[in-house]
Each structure stands twice: as structure tokens, then as C-alpha cells.
Amino acid sequence: MSATHAIATPLVTLTEVRFAYGSGAAAAARARTAPGTRPATHAPASRAGAPASFALDVTRLDVAPKERVAVIGPSGAGKTTLLQLMCGILPLRGAGRAGRVELAGVDLAAIDDARRRALRASHVGLVFQELELLDHLTVLENVLLPYLAVPALHLDRAARARASELLERVGLASHTTRKPRRLSQGERQRVALARALVTEPALVLGDEPTGHLDPDTGERVLELLFDETRRTGAALVMVTHDHSQLARFERIIDVRALSGSDDTLSGDGTFSGDGAPPVDPRAGSGPAQMEPRS
């Protein structure tokens, strides 16, 4: 395999992306290493000597249709930021931001906010740590929210049936008329998962989707997530701190390696060597990045 994991027809592509903020963000963007050379490991300092308080660099990252990708790294490394860049929640506009993100062949920086929201609603299912359930809607209405919010999505009998089936599979069939304020945090997370899957999106992004669940419920939810994405042919990109789940994924990406600045990691953050995956000394006892499994 080549040093960079090549995908013929990617669903999502990030190219030479820089996302930085803080007092030195503008200078960090100007100081960004030119393509083809080794990027700086740390955020560059501003003219006043203050570094950007946060910076995420992605030399190149592709996600293919149907692919299952785990994203790992310590807290604050940029895992959630990466997912939000993929779907256009964080646009690459303004100081400290550069590069190109494409979703379903569309350059997200080239379209306005309304078109970005419509593209996201029709192509992406989101399960983020901020669950964003609407308290004035019932559980069922929250699951169907993409249809209620986006005119291009047609709310028909099949969509309602799919919503009810998903709620049954996450153990909330008896809660369809409840309001979110009457749910536990774990129940709210399961509602958000059902909402992410109801439109049968091409891409599902999960930011620790089982983080508020007990082990047994979390295992059932993960089975649902993998079953549904496999059934619909969706790509899955999921942030996790649970390394016991990594064997489920075809590829594992460490956000700290996305700049290509680690000698043992390729430009997309995946391990480029042969044989057993090595241990990344920066990741404690957890596994480093692996190429896709055959």
C-alpha cells in the first residue's frame, strides 16, 4: 500500500486543511507549511509570540462509501473538530482556517450556509456529545426532526415506520410520546442515535455515541449502528476512547498524526508499516494507527 491511503471515489475528502483559533491563529495560518514539506508539530507562534490555542492540520484524508473508521486521540486533540469539519458545521472561513473539504463531491466552502445545512441533512447522520434534542417535541418527533426541518426530505409512512422501528431497537418504543426532559441522559443519547439513522444517510458521524450508556446498552447500540450502516451502505466515522471496540473498524485514525508529521504514520493518520500495529508512544498503551484490514 502507498504511504497515503488512496480511495478511488471518496465520500468525504479533506485536503491541506488548517483549522486554528486563539490569539495566534491568523499568524499560524500564514506560517502553515507548504504542501509537500513537513508541517510543524506544534501550532506556530504569532508575531507577538503567542501560539494559536488550538490547531488541527490535515494533510489529506479520504473516507470511502461503506467504510468504517475509528478516530482516536486524547481529549482536546481535535476529534470533534474533525467530525464537524467533515460535515460543514465548522466552515473553513476566516483567520486560521484554510484548505478544502468536500462532501459528496461538493466543496463545502463554495456553498452558503443554507445549502450546507441541506446537504448535511440529506447526506449525514450526526450523533454528537451535544445531543440537541428539542424539549417541546416528543421523542418520536425528535427522531423525525430532519424531515420536519428540511423540505427536501419527504416525511411519508415509510419514514415514520423506520423511526418507530429504530426506537424499538434502542429500547424506547414505550417512550415515543415523552418529552426529552423526562428522559435520562442515556435515553436521550439513544434518541439522538435513532435520529441520525432515520434518513438512511450516506455518512454517519458519531462522537462517542455510547459515552452515556451502560455497557450492555452500549453494546446493543453499537450493534444497531453497525447493522444499519452495513444495511444501507453508509460510511461510519466514530470517535471513541474505548480501544476494545477498535477491532470493529476497518481503519483507525489518530488525529495527532493527520498532519503527516510522525515518521511512522502516513498523511491520513493511518499506520503505513507492515505486520502487527506498533504502539504509538504518545498514546500510552493503546494501539497506533493501522492500515485498513483486508
Side-chain angles (χ1 to χ4, degrees):
M1 175 164 297
S2 63
T4 299
H5 178 55
I7 298 174
T9 55
L11 177 63
V12 182
T13 298
L14 287 77
T15 307
E16 294 297 328
V17 167
R18 171 73 167 182
F19 185 91
Y21 59 80
S23 57
R30 292 192 296 271
R32 185 167 186 259
T33 308
T37 62
R38 182 177 298 278
T41 302
H42 303 289
S46 68
R47 289 175 180 172
S53 59
F54 172 83
L56 175 66
D57 287 301
V58 182
T59 303
R60 172 80 181 202
L61 176 61
D62 293 331
V63 177
K66 303 182 180 181
E67 190 175 20
R68 296 188 297 276
V69 181
V71 179
I72 64 172
S75 297
K79 302 182 297 298
T80 298
T81 298
L82 177 65
L83 267 56
Q84 292 179 338
L85 286 169
M86 284 183 174
C87 63
I89 290 177
L90 293 176
L92 287 175
R93 293 195 301 240
R97 305 180 186 190
R100 183 181 180 94
V101 179
E102 294 183 19
L103 172 61
V106 178
D107 180 358
L108 295 180
I111 58 178
D112 60 23
D113 290 343
R115 289 180 61 195
R116 245 191 331 270
R117 285 194 299 270
L119 182 67
R120 185 162 56 245
S122 60
H123 285 76
V124 185
L126 305 172
V127 191
F128 283 172
Q129 293 177 22
E130 301 82 13
L131 301 176
E132 297 184 353
L133 301 183
L134 300 183
D135 282 336
H136 66 281
L137 299 180
T138 67
V139 164
L140 180 59
E141 289 167 340
N142 267 285
V143 173
L144 292 170
L145 186 60
Y147 294 95
L148 303 175
V150 180
L153 295 175
H154 182 52
L155 179 56
D156 54 16
R157 184 177 299 177
R160 293 182 182 277
R162 193 159 54 248
S164 296
E165 179 186 357
L166 287 168
L167 285 171
E168 182 175 0
R169 292 191 66 184
V170 297
L172 296 175
S174 61
H175 291 34
T176 57
T177 60
R178 288 191 184 182
K179 299 294 179 65
R181 63 179 174 272
R182 296 181 56 203
L183 302 177
S184 69
Q185 184 70 3
E187 289 169 337
R188 290 167 63 89
Q189 192 157 20
R190 284 181 273 164
V191 174
L193 175 63
R195 182 180 61 190
L197 297 173
V198 71
T199 61
E200 299 185 324
L203 172 67
V204 177
L205 301 177
D207 191 354
E208 298 188 72
T210 62
H212 296 289
L213 305 178
D214 64 79
D216 289 343
T217 303
E219 183 64 24
R220 292 199 302 271
V221 163
L222 282 178
E223 288 296 334
L224 171 63
L225 188 58
F226 279 92
D227 287 350
E228 283 295 302
T229 52
R230 188 180 301 111
R231 181 184 68 82
T232 62
L236 171 64
V237 181
M238 191 178 104
V239 170
T240 182
H241 286 288
D242 184 359
H243 285 189
S244 69
Q245 299 292 340
L246 296 183
R248 294 174 177 263
F249 295 88
E250 298 165 334
R251 188 155 51 122
I252 305 165
I253 294 174
D254 190 324
V255 289
R256 296 166 297 180
L258 286 171
S259 67
S261 59
D262 189 300
D263 289 335
T264 64
L265 298 163
S266 69
D268 68 350
T270 54
F271 175 59
S272 58
D274 297 320
V279 173
D280 181 349
R282 299 165 305 171
S285 60
Q289 308 327 299
M290 293 170 278
E291 287 187 339
R293 298 176 176 84
S294 59

